[in-house]
Amino acid sequence: MPASPPPSSSERSRRRPAFRHDDGAVSEVIGYVLTFAIISGVLVISMLTFNVARERTADRVLEVEAASVAHRVAAAIVEAGLFVERQTTAGATPSSLYLVLDLPDSFQNKPYTISITSCASPTTVEVKVGAFTASEPLLGVNAACATLSGGPIAVVLSGSSISLSLVTS
Protein backbone atom coordinates (compact mmCIF):
# COMPACT_ATOMS: atom_id res chain seq x y z
CA MET A 1 0.00 0.00 0.00
CA PRO A 2 1.25 3.31 -0.91
CA ALA A 3 1.71 5.84 1.84
CA SER A 4 -0.91 8.50 1.91
CA PRO A 5 0.18 12.08 1.54
CA PRO A 6 0.09 14.24 4.68
CA PRO A 7 -3.17 16.15 5.11
CA SER A 8 -3.18 19.69 3.88
CA SER A 9 -3.66 22.55 6.32
CA SER A 10 -7.23 23.15 5.14
CA GLU A 11 -8.11 19.51 5.79
CA ARG A 12 -6.60 19.69 9.27
CA SER A 13 -8.66 22.72 10.22
CA ARG A 14 -11.82 21.06 8.97
CA ARG A 15 -11.25 17.96 11.02
CA ARG A 16 -10.16 19.56 14.28
CA PRO A 17 -11.21 23.19 14.68
CA ALA A 18 -8.81 24.99 16.95
CA PHE A 19 -10.36 27.52 19.35
CA ARG A 20 -7.80 30.12 18.53
CA HIS A 21 -8.80 29.99 14.90
CA ASP A 22 -12.54 30.12 15.67
CA ASP A 23 -13.33 33.78 15.09
CA GLY A 24 -17.09 33.26 15.58
CA ALA A 25 -16.80 32.18 19.23
CA VAL A 26 -14.44 35.01 20.09
CA SER A 27 -16.81 37.52 18.51
CA GLU A 28 -19.71 36.20 20.56
CA VAL A 29 -17.77 36.40 23.82
CA ILE A 30 -16.58 39.92 23.07
CA GLY A 31 -20.16 40.87 22.18
CA TYR A 32 -21.50 39.56 25.49
CA VAL A 33 -18.75 41.31 27.47
CA LEU A 34 -19.33 44.61 25.68
CA THR A 35 -23.11 44.35 26.13
CA PHE A 36 -22.66 43.68 29.84
CA ALA A 37 -20.23 46.61 30.18
CA ILE A 38 -22.57 49.02 28.40
CA ILE A 39 -25.61 47.96 30.44
CA SER A 40 -23.58 48.22 33.68
CA GLY A 41 -22.37 51.70 32.72
CA VAL A 42 -25.90 52.89 31.96
CA LEU A 43 -27.13 51.47 35.27
CA VAL A 44 -24.38 53.18 37.29
CA ILE A 45 -24.93 56.53 35.55
CA SER A 46 -28.70 56.37 36.09
CA MET A 47 -28.23 55.50 39.80
CA LEU A 48 -25.88 58.46 40.29
CA THR A 49 -28.28 60.78 38.48
CA PHE A 50 -31.19 59.57 40.61
CA ASN A 51 -29.18 60.10 43.81
CA VAL A 52 -28.29 63.70 42.85
CA ALA A 53 -31.94 64.43 42.00
CA ARG A 54 -33.09 62.96 45.32
CA GLU A 55 -30.61 65.09 47.30
CA ARG A 56 -31.66 68.25 45.47
CA THR A 57 -35.30 67.45 46.14
CA ALA A 58 -34.63 66.96 49.86
CA ASP A 59 -32.76 70.29 49.99
CA ARG A 60 -35.62 72.06 48.21
CA VAL A 61 -38.15 70.58 50.65
CA LEU A 62 -36.07 71.96 53.57
CA GLU A 63 -36.03 75.41 51.95
CA VAL A 64 -39.80 75.40 51.41
CA GLU A 65 -40.52 74.20 54.96
CA ALA A 66 -38.23 76.87 56.44
CA ALA A 67 -39.86 79.59 54.32
CA SER A 68 -43.31 78.38 55.36
CA VAL A 69 -42.45 78.58 59.08
CA ALA A 70 -40.88 82.03 58.63
CA HIS A 71 -44.02 83.22 56.88
CA ARG A 72 -46.34 81.77 59.56
CA VAL A 73 -44.38 83.39 62.40
CA ALA A 74 -44.22 86.72 60.57
CA ALA A 75 -47.96 86.60 59.88
CA ALA A 76 -48.72 85.99 63.58
CA ILE A 77 -46.45 88.88 64.63
CA VAL A 78 -48.09 91.19 62.09
CA GLU A 79 -51.51 90.08 63.37
CA ALA A 80 -50.45 91.02 66.92
CA GLY A 81 -49.17 94.37 65.62
CA LEU A 82 -52.50 95.04 63.89
CA PHE A 83 -54.31 94.15 67.12
CA VAL A 84 -52.21 96.75 68.98
CA GLU A 85 -52.92 99.33 66.28
CA ARG A 86 -56.68 98.73 66.39
CA GLN A 87 -56.72 98.95 70.18
CA THR A 88 -54.69 102.17 70.13
CA THR A 89 -56.78 103.90 67.46
CA ALA A 90 -59.95 103.00 69.36
CA GLY A 91 -58.53 104.81 72.39
CA ALA A 92 -58.21 101.67 74.48
CA THR A 93 -55.12 100.46 76.23
CA PRO A 94 -53.74 97.45 74.36
CA SER A 95 -54.56 94.30 76.24
CA SER A 96 -52.70 91.03 76.13
CA LEU A 97 -52.82 88.53 73.32
CA TYR A 98 -51.41 84.99 73.16
CA LEU A 99 -51.22 83.37 69.70
CA VAL A 100 -50.01 79.76 69.64
CA LEU A 101 -48.35 78.39 66.52
CA ASP A 102 -48.08 74.62 66.37
CA LEU A 103 -44.80 74.30 64.47
CA PRO A 104 -42.89 71.07 63.89
CA ASP A 105 -40.02 70.15 66.21
CA SER A 106 -37.70 69.48 63.26
CA PHE A 107 -37.58 69.26 59.48
CA GLN A 108 -36.60 65.79 58.23
CA ASN A 109 -35.02 65.13 61.64
CA LYS A 110 -32.93 68.30 61.37
CA PRO A 111 -33.38 70.87 64.16
CA TYR A 112 -34.03 74.49 63.29
CA THR A 113 -34.09 77.88 65.01
CA ILE A 114 -36.42 80.86 64.73
CA SER A 115 -34.89 84.29 65.26
CA ILE A 116 -36.29 87.80 65.34
CA THR A 117 -33.67 90.37 64.46
CA SER A 118 -34.52 93.95 65.30
CA CYS A 119 -30.96 95.18 64.98
CA ALA A 120 -31.29 95.87 61.28
CA SER A 121 -34.12 97.69 59.63
CA PRO A 122 -36.61 96.19 58.89
CA THR A 123 -37.19 93.67 61.65
CA THR A 124 -37.05 90.18 60.18
CA VAL A 125 -38.01 86.65 61.13
CA GLU A 126 -35.29 84.16 60.22
CA VAL A 127 -35.62 80.39 60.22
CA LYS A 128 -32.33 78.48 60.01
CA VAL A 129 -32.18 74.78 59.27
CA GLY A 130 -28.80 73.36 58.38
CA ALA A 131 -27.20 75.61 55.77
CA PHE A 132 -30.51 77.19 54.75
CA THR A 133 -31.90 80.46 56.06
CA ALA A 134 -35.35 81.72 55.20
CA SER A 135 -36.26 85.26 56.19
CA GLU A 136 -39.45 87.24 56.21
CA PRO A 137 -39.47 91.02 56.81
CA LEU A 138 -41.80 92.60 59.36
CA LEU A 139 -42.60 96.00 57.92
CA GLY A 140 -44.05 98.47 60.39
CA VAL A 141 -44.01 96.03 63.31
CA ASN A 142 -41.44 95.93 66.07
CA ALA A 143 -40.88 92.80 68.08
CA ALA A 144 -38.34 91.93 70.74
CA CYS A 145 -35.20 90.10 69.56
CA ALA A 146 -35.38 86.40 70.29
CA THR A 147 -33.96 83.08 69.18
CA LEU A 148 -35.93 79.91 69.82
CA SER A 149 -35.52 76.30 68.83
CA GLY A 150 -38.16 74.68 66.65
CA GLY A 151 -41.44 73.44 68.00
CA PRO A 152 -44.67 75.04 69.18
CA ILE A 153 -44.22 78.73 69.94
CA ALA A 154 -46.41 81.57 71.11
CA VAL A 155 -46.53 85.16 69.95
CA VAL A 156 -47.13 87.12 73.15
CA LEU A 157 -48.49 90.64 73.19
CA SER A 158 -48.20 92.37 76.54
CA GLY A 159 -49.13 96.02 76.45
CA SER A 160 -47.57 97.21 73.22
CA SER A 161 -44.56 94.87 73.16
CA ILE A 162 -44.54 91.71 71.05
CA SER A 163 -42.32 88.76 71.90
CA LEU A 164 -41.93 85.06 71.16
CA SER A 165 -41.87 82.25 73.69
CA LEU A 166 -41.74 78.48 73.61
CA VAL A 167 -44.93 76.65 74.45
CA THR A 168 -44.37 73.96 77.04
CA SER A 169 -46.99 71.38 77.79
Side-chain angles (χ1 to χ4, degrees):
M1 255 195 169
S4 62
S8 68
S9 62
S10 63
E11 287 177 359
R12 265 187 270 151
S13 64
R14 259 188 273 139
R15 282 188 293 177
R16 258 184 324 146
F19 184 70
R20 66 176 183 235
H21 295 293
D22 187 10
D23 292 338
V26 172
S27 296
E28 284 186 37
V29 170
I30 290 175
Y32 286 127
V33 168
L34 286 175
T35 302
F36 178 74
I38 291 170
I39 290 173
S40 298
V42 168
L43 179 65
V44 167
I45 289 171
S46 58
M47 287 173 53
L48 291 173
T49 303
F50 177 76
N51 193 30
V52 167
R54 185 182 53 81
E55 288 174 1
R56 286 185 181 167
T57 302
D59 290 346
R60 181 67 182 136
V61 168
L62 280 177
E63 289 176 20
V64 169
E65 287 177 336
S68 174
V69 166
H71 181 73
R72 287 179 62 191
V73 172
I77 292 171
V78 168
E79 185 177 343
L82 290 173
F83 181 78
V84 168
E85 187 178 315
R86 273 186 257 137
Q87 294 287 322
T88 306
T89 56
T93 305
S95 57
S96 61
L97 180 67
Y98 192 79
L99 298 172
V100 177
L101 300 174
D102 189 19
L103 302 175
D105 294 328
S106 62
F107 299 135
Q108 300 175 10
N109 294 327
K110 294 183 180 180
Y112 67 98
T113 59
I114 302 167
S115 302
I116 297 180
T117 58
S118 298
C119 307
S121 182
T123 303
T124 58
V125 174
E126 291 182 348
V127 175
K128 295 178 184 177
V129 56
F132 304 111
T133 301
S135 61
E136 192 73 32
L138 298 172
L139 301 174
V141 179
N142 290 323
C145 290
T147 300
L148 304 172
S149 60
I153 65 167
V155 176
V156 180
L157 169 67
S158 179
S160 62
S161 68
I162 301 170
S163 61
L164 294 180
S165 68
L166 283 173
V167 174
T168 56
S169 14

